[in-house]
Amino acid sequence: MPGAEDHLVGAVRAGRAHRVRELLWAGADPETADADGTPVLCLSVAAFDRYVTEALLDAGADPLRPLPDGTTPLLRAVTSGNAGVTAAMLVRAADRLAKEDREGLLACARRWADTGAEAGLGHTTGSTGPASRRRIMDWYHPAEYDVITLGGESVYDGQSAVLTCLEARFGVRRSFEELLARALARADGSHADWSEATAVLGGRLDDETWEAALVLRADPDPLRRLFAADVVWHFVLTDSPPQSGEYPFERRALDVLLPWAVGETDPAVLASVLNGLSELEDPRTEEVALAHRTHPDPRVRTKVPGALRRTRHAFTHPKAWEVLAALARDPDARVRATVCEHLYEFEGRGLAAADILAGFLHEDDQLVRIKAVSGLANADDPRCVEGARLIGPVDRTEWPDTWLLDAVWRYEQRRGG
């Protein structure tokens, strides 16, 4: 009969993070290896699976474990091209790395970044191609990658993102212009190379970076304006109060983003500007959001609910619920899903929210139906029971947390079964 370690290998290979955690809690060894001697942590790296990687690291798997080929799980993460998996490893390993180890990792990351994913994989495998390429979304830290497969092996194409991540962690400060150049080389605001550059700059929270970003607001190139808007957004996300208790960049961000949202013509840039505004609690953000509720580009309309929601507990504008109800019937599924996302855990519940959630019970997207049912159940709305029947089959083993799936059960328990 298979033991706990065999089950752990199977769960890691299947990408079932919840099952991996269950087995680790039950005593499975996080340093388990498969029949070929490959540690399960390396299996999760090869699968680009940050959820499973985090579970193994939390249980004590060593990212610096020496491997027979001279590598470590951390080095394999660096060469994988996945910045999220690399970042997870660094949290547990950075303080244990000697100077020469850091230099070696940086040199490896630079080689891959300079060579590129496809050429680097060709050199590693000895294959001349052609390589296959497919786009994926990494939902753990939302960013997109291309998966490059050549010679039977695969890497993500986030080599620049990995290098940026390593440099920031190791205290190598690249200039604003250098990180801007890395992002523009990708010219793709949804790719990890771009998002890692903007996140690192936004995390600096200094005047030099802030001013450099603001210079780009008037640039005729919308990609440069998008970069600036994303950096400002990350400033807002990472802003923290000093001893005074005030957020030093919050007022600055409002003064910048409010007029920018009125005058911006590019939909992608405008969506990023509204993202920043949605993080700020100021009544003026509501009027800006309302002005864009019928914008022709759905990327902009998806940002309206967040900018309308001034606090976790309230949509305070008199027209807010009317606008939310209209967006819940939007022809674009992404807009409808965004409304559901804002309402299913909304703490200021009422009939207006429940009625909108009930309208999502027949959505094509199963996750939207699940969240709508959960929101109705949490609001003690009996429509959740029929809604649960409309969800369809769900493989609970694929869910890292089944709390969402059990909302109707909890509703029925509150109602006496």
Side-chain angles (χ1 to χ4, degrees):
M1 298 244 345
E5 280 67 30
D6 294 318
H7 287 300
L8 180 61
V9 170
V12 170
R13 289 190 184 281
R16 294 178 172 176
H18 183 65
R19 179 60 175 155
V20 168
R21 289 191 183 276
E22 285 182 341
L23 290 166
L24 293 168
W25 289 333
D29 185 357
E31 295 289 4
T32 295
D34 67 5
D36 296 324
T38 304
V40 286
L41 185 58
C42 292
L43 296 179
S44 72
V45 170
F48 316 104
D49 193 329
R50 183 163 176 177
Y51 291 99
V52 172
T53 298
E54 290 274 11
L56 294 168
L57 291 169
D58 288 345
D62 186 3
L64 300 181
R65 174 179 176 174
L67 301 172
D69 63 357
T71 68
T72 64
L74 172 57
L75 181 58
R76 292 191 181 190
V78 169
T79 60
S80 76
N82 185 298
V85 171
T86 301
M89 296 277 194
L90 286 173
V91 170
R92 277 78 172 185
D95 295 341
R96 298 161 52 199
L97 292 168
K99 180 181 179 181
E100 56 268 26
D101 296 325
R102 296 183 177 210
E103 291 175 349
L105 290 169
L106 285 169
C108 176
R110 288 192 198 101
R111 284 195 302 272
W112 275 91
D114 291 342
T115 303
E118 185 170 338
L121 195 54
H123 177 75
T124 300
T125 63
S127 178
T128 58
S132 67
R133 181 184 295 262
R134 62 185 176 88
R135 192 77 159 184
I136 63 97
M137 169 66 82
D138 183 348
W139 289 107
Y140 189 102
H141 183 65
E144 294 184 8
Y145 294 85
D146 281 352
V147 182
I148 313 297
T149 301
L150 181 64
E153 295 187 19
S154 297
V155 295
Y156 277 23
D157 69 338
Q159 284 72 31
S160 176
V162 170
L163 178 58
T164 301
C165 172
L166 284 174
E167 289 174 338
R169 183 72 191 191
F170 295 160
V172 179
R173 184 183 174 97
R174 294 299 178 192
S175 69
F176 186 95
E177 291 72 22
E178 287 176 289
L179 293 180
L180 171 61
R182 288 181 187 177
L184 293 179
R186 175 64 62 177
D188 182 349
S190 61
H191 193 277
D193 287 355
W194 178 290
S195 60
E196 194 69 26
T198 56
V200 165
L201 287 171
R204 291 179 178 175
L205 296 178
D206 59 38
D207 291 336
E208 177 187 351
T209 305
W210 178 262
E211 295 300 328
L214 297 194
V215 168
L216 298 178
R217 285 179 299 167
D219 197 288
D221 184 353
L223 276 175
R224 290 174 175 267
R225 299 201 305 276
L226 177 61
F227 188 83
D230 285 354
V231 170
V232 171
W233 174 38
H234 281 292
F235 260 84
V236 174
L237 287 176
T238 57
D239 195 12
S240 57
Q243 293 182 348
S244 65
E246 297 180 355
Y247 290 85
F249 286 97
E250 183 173 295
R251 178 55 53 186
R252 296 196 206 181
L254 274 169
D255 292 342
V256 167
L257 294 174
L258 285 169
W260 195 351
V262 174
E264 181 56 57
T265 58
D266 183 84
V269 181
L270 178 56
S272 180
V273 170
L274 291 176
N275 251 349
L277 285 174
S278 69
E279 301 295 332
L280 303 170
E281 294 185 9
D282 188 283
R284 290 172 291 177
T285 64
E286 297 171 320
E287 295 301 329
V288 171
L290 288 171
H292 296 294
R293 65 187 184 275
T294 59
H295 193 281
D297 195 300
R299 291 173 294 178
V300 175
R301 300 198 301 277
T302 60
K303 307 304 178 184
V304 171
L308 273 178
R309 184 173 173 175
R310 284 184 53 203
T311 71
R312 183 174 177 80
H313 306 281
F315 290 94
T316 58
H317 196 279
K319 294 184 178 180
W321 289 102
E322 173 188 337
V323 172
L324 290 170
L327 292 173
R329 300 187 298 272
D330 194 275
D332 192 283
R334 292 169 294 179
V335 179
R336 302 195 301 273
T338 300
V339 176
C340 183
E341 188 69 27
H342 280 280
L343 293 185
Y344 88 97
E345 287 187 316
F346 182 55
E347 294 183 4
R349 300 184 185 96
L351 185 59
D355 285 345
I356 293 174
L357 287 170
F360 296 129
L361 296 178
H362 295 277
E363 281 287 323
D364 291 338
D365 188 331
Q366 186 184 52
L367 183 57
V368 173
R369 300 199 302 274
I370 289 171
K371 290 182 175 180
V373 168
S374 175
L376 289 170
N378 292 337
D380 286 325
D381 190 302
R383 287 174 286 186
C384 69
V385 177
E386 177 59 27
R389 300 189 183 101
L390 299 172
I391 288 175
V394 177
D395 183 356
R396 295 174 68 91
T397 64
E398 297 288 344
W399 286 70
D401 186 350
T402 56
W403 177 262
L404 193 64
L405 301 177
D406 294 332
V408 174
W409 177 85
R410 293 192 298 274
Y411 163 79
E412 290 175 335
Q413 294 300 303
R414 293 194 299 271
R415 303 283 290 183

